[in-house]
Every structure is written in structure tokens, then in C-alpha cells.
Amino acid sequence: MSFTAKDLIGLMESATPEEIKTIKSLLSIDEKKTKAPRKPRTSKSKATGQPFDPSMCFARCYAVQDPEKFGKDGDKAEKNNHIGLIDFQCTGKTINGTHYCYRHGGKGQPAKKNVCQESGELFLGDYGKLDDDGNPVSLPRPENPTRLSSSGKTHKYLFLDSMDADLEKGSQEEEKVLKSEKGKKKEKSAPAVDKPITFEDIEWEKIIVSGDINDLPVKTLKLYLVKFDISTKGLKKNEKVEKIIEHFDLNKEQEDSQENQEEAEEEVETEAEEEVETETEEAEEEEEEEEEEEEEEGEEEEEEEVEMPVEEIQGVEYAIHEGNAIDLETDTVMGPVGDPVASTDVSKWGENVPLHLKNLTAKMNSK
């Protein structure tokens, strides 16, 4: 059954004004099939106050909210005292069937900077746990946590939400945490009259740096010399002072060098572990993307494998599937077909009538 110019005129006469307008612009029709956009990939963030996620490393981490104000590690104001911090769950990927990443014990031993040498545990503990029923439960953050480093230094940590709103002055709690040791030493520097002065009563670093050591009596200087078994036989007071300063500077230099070396090693170790984690995550993302692409290709192949008979309707070939005509070029479902197919009333195809007319025009022009 062919479609003639007479049929076209009849179709135009029975069409509504809107359909006529659509038919006139049929040469600009574009009904190509498009894929649904891929869902955007979400990323894990280091945000404080988030619920516990058992799919990530269980450990708690800290970061400095304002590195410019407090320093990269929060110790700009005073070394080994870290302030202006926020805490969050580690975003690392768990490994070796554990609940932890490389940095927090997934490989057997956590990085030194995450462990207190006194307790042997993660000094910030875990961010959460699973209860007896397997449900995720968040754990409270330790109050005023401390960490004893391998060099014997005590590091103190103060979080932003426990500090006063005026961060320049700090809160009373900050003053208490950061100056408690100074207060103890100050009390010791003024011992009772009936109590003899001991080596621990003297703030040796302070009096050496200030030069006040020159004002100390020989009896007090002897406390230091005996403590470190420094021989000063036959030396005058000023020579004993020089011996003390020389010994102190040498020990201080060695301690600083050891601590700096340990911190450098910890930083290198952390960077290496973060690099491994990043590479692992990137590889997993690439693998996921490849799997998604393979699934999409598989779906397309399945669609292509469906065998559909092809029949003519008014001289235009359409695939017939489940009682509908399918446009061969655009895969558009045109509308229901009649029985027999040649008797199909295309005016029932509604908004797809212009596409049918376009196909008719193309068919006539090709002759």
C-alpha cells in the first residue's frame, strides 16, 4: 500500500492547526535516542560532625581549621601544643580485612604520629564502632587528648569547639591546657624555706636562655653538674657555668635533631601511605567506570539482539514489536499498528505523525 500526494492532502485537511504547524517544520525533526546522564560520583570529605561510616577506616583524625592562624599542625603559638583543631573520621580505605587503613594499623603497625608511646594505642581512638547487632555507632572524642612521642615529648591537642569564640585570646580551657606545666614549674621555682632545692626545682632552660644562670650560687650550679656527672674539679664559678651551658646546648641540639628526624620520617611515611591510598582509590574508580561502560554496552547489545520483523506502512518500512511500529533510524516507538499491518491508521500516532510524514517525504524524494 503506497502513500500518494492525495493521501497527504487528505491528512493535511484532517489535521489540527497545531499539527499542520508541526508538519511544516518536519524537516527539522531530530528524534535521535540519547542515553541517560551518568550519576555524578560522590566524594568523601574530611568534615567534622559527620555520622560514622563503617565502610571507611574506623580511626579518628584531626586537622587544623585555620593553618595560617594556628600553624600547619596547630603548634604555631607553642611547640608540641596543637590548637584550633577539628576532628573527623579517617577517609582511608580499610585493608587486609581490618577496620583500618595503612596509617592506622591496617598493615599491622600504625604510623608513629598516630600512636601514644605510653599507651601504645591510637591517641584519638576510633570515630565509631559496630554494636552487637552490627549497627554503626559514633564514639565520643577524647577530652584534651595527649600523645607521648618516641622522643619522650608530650604533645597536647585542643579542639576548636572547646576554645573561646575569640580565637586570638583563647579560652580559659586553652590557657589551662597550654600553661598548666608552666604553672607547676613556677610553683616549684619558689620552694618552701625549710625544703632544700633540688635539680627538678630549677627551670634550667629558662635561666640558661635568659642568662640568669650567672646569678645562681655555686651550690645550686652543683645540682646540674652532679646530675649529669660533669667534672669541674679546680674550675672557677664562671667556668662551671660555661660547662653547664655547653652541656645543655649539646643535649638540646641532639634532642631537636632526633625529634625533627622522627617528624620527617613520620611525614614521609604518611605521604607514602596517602599516595598508595590515592592510587588504590583511583584504580578502583577506573575499574568501576569500566564496569559501568561494559554494562551499558551489554544493554545496547541486548537491545540490538532483539529480532523484529520489518513491514511497510504507507510505503515506509517499520520494525514491528509488541503491537507497535518502531522507526528504524531513531528507534522511536511510533504507535500501534493495525491488523493487518498495512491497514494501520497513522493518524492515531499523535505527536509522531510528523516523523512519519518526514519518512514519507524522504521515501518519495529517493525515487
Side-chain angles (χ1 to χ4, degrees), residues 30-33 326-334 355:
D30 185 6
E31 298 287 341
K32 289 189 177 180
K33 180 182 177 183
I326 310 297
D327 184 67
L328 296 178
E329 183 177 351
T330 65
D331 289 337
T332 300
V333 178
M334 301 297 290
L355 178 57

Side-chain angles (χ1 to χ4, degrees), residues 268-324:
V268 170
E269 183 180 1
T270 299
E271 289 177 354
E273 290 167 354
E274 288 178 346
E275 184 177 347
V276 170
E277 289 180 5
T278 300
E279 291 176 354
T280 302
E281 290 177 357
E282 289 178 351
E284 290 176 350
E285 288 179 358
E286 290 179 1
E287 185 176 347
E288 289 177 4
E289 290 178 356
E290 290 176 359
E291 290 177 355
E292 289 178 5
E293 291 176 358
E294 289 176 359
E295 289 177 1
E296 291 176 356
E297 291 175 359
E299 291 174 358
E300 292 176 358
E301 290 176 358
E302 289 177 1
E303 291 176 358
E304 292 173 358
E305 290 174 359
V306 176
E307 294 184 2
M308 295 182 288
V310 176
E311 296 194 32
E312 284 191 359
I313 299 176
Q314 295 183 343
V316 179
E317 290 185 341
Y318 290 102
I320 309 302
H321 181 62
E322 296 181 353
N324 289 301

Side-chain angles (χ1 to χ4, degrees), residues 10-241:
L11 185 60
M12 292 287 286
E13 289 177 347
S14 63
T16 65
E18 185 64 28
E19 290 176 337
I20 294 175
K21 181 178 179 181
T22 303
I23 294 171
K24 289 182 179 180
S25 61
L26 62 89
L27 294 180
S28 62
I29 294 176
D30 185 6
E31 298 287 341
K32 289 189 177 180
K33 180 182 177 183
T34 58
K35 293 183 181 179
R38 179 175 296 177
K39 294 184 293 183
R41 188 179 297 278
T42 57
S43 60
K44 302 170 183 175
S45 62
K46 298 179 179 179
T48 187
Q50 297 298 307
F52 171 61
D53 183 352
S55 69
M56 300 193 300
C57 175
F58 278 27
R60 186 185 305 275
C61 292
Y62 78 89
V64 181
Q65 176 76 5
D66 190 346
E68 185 176 349
K69 179 181 292 185
F70 301 112
K72 180 181 178 182
D73 206 30
D75 56 356
K76 183 176 182 180
E78 188 172 352
K79 190 172 179 61
N80 300 335
N81 286 309
H82 312 268
I83 65 174
L85 310 178
I86 59 171
D87 70 307
F88 53 89
Q89 182 179 358
C90 176
T91 58
K93 185 174 181 61
T94 58
I95 61 170
N96 299 335
T98 70
H99 293 311
Y100 302 98
C101 65
Y102 279 91
R103 288 175 294 165
H104 293 104
K107 65 176 183 179
Q109 184 64 35
K112 292 181 181 179
K113 69 179 299 182
N114 296 322
V115 176
C116 175
Q117 297 303 315
E118 184 177 10
S119 66
E121 305 289 339
L122 296 172
F123 78 97
L124 286 180
D126 286 349
Y127 193 82
K129 68 175 183 178
L130 297 177
D131 62 18
D132 294 338
D133 297 326
N135 300 314
V137 179
S138 296
L139 294 175
R141 185 185 68 209
E143 292 186 10
N144 301 327
T146 61
R147 177 178 69 89
L148 181 67
S149 70
S150 54
S151 64
K153 300 289 185 181
T154 299
H155 294 253
K156 301 176 183 179
Y157 300 84
L158 185 63
F159 289 87
L160 194 64
D161 56 14
S162 64
M163 296 173 64
D164 189 75
D166 186 352
L167 299 181
E168 294 296 335
K169 296 179 180 179
S171 65
Q172 293 180 352
E173 183 176 356
E174 176 189 0
E175 295 294 329
K176 180 179 179 181
V177 172
L178 301 185
K179 296 182 178 181
S180 59
E181 289 301 318
K182 289 185 177 181
K184 292 178 182 179
K185 291 180 180 179
K186 189 173 182 181
E187 291 175 3
K188 290 182 179 181
S189 65
V193 176
D194 57 350
K195 181 182 177 182
I197 297 176
T198 65
F199 174 85
E200 287 73 19
D201 292 329
I202 308 299
E203 295 184 75
W204 293 102
E205 181 175 0
K206 181 177 179 180
I207 63 173
I208 289 174
V209 173
S210 66
D212 292 342
I213 189 171
N214 295 293
D215 299 330
L216 293 180
V218 174
K219 182 179 179 180
T220 304
L221 295 177
K222 188 177 179 180
L223 296 173
Y224 188 101
L225 299 170
V226 171
K227 175 73 174 180
F228 296 102
D229 195 22
I230 301 173
S231 177
T232 57
K233 188 176 180 180
L235 297 181
K236 298 179 180 180
K237 177 184 175 180
N238 64 319
E239 292 174 325
K240 293 179 180 179
V241 170

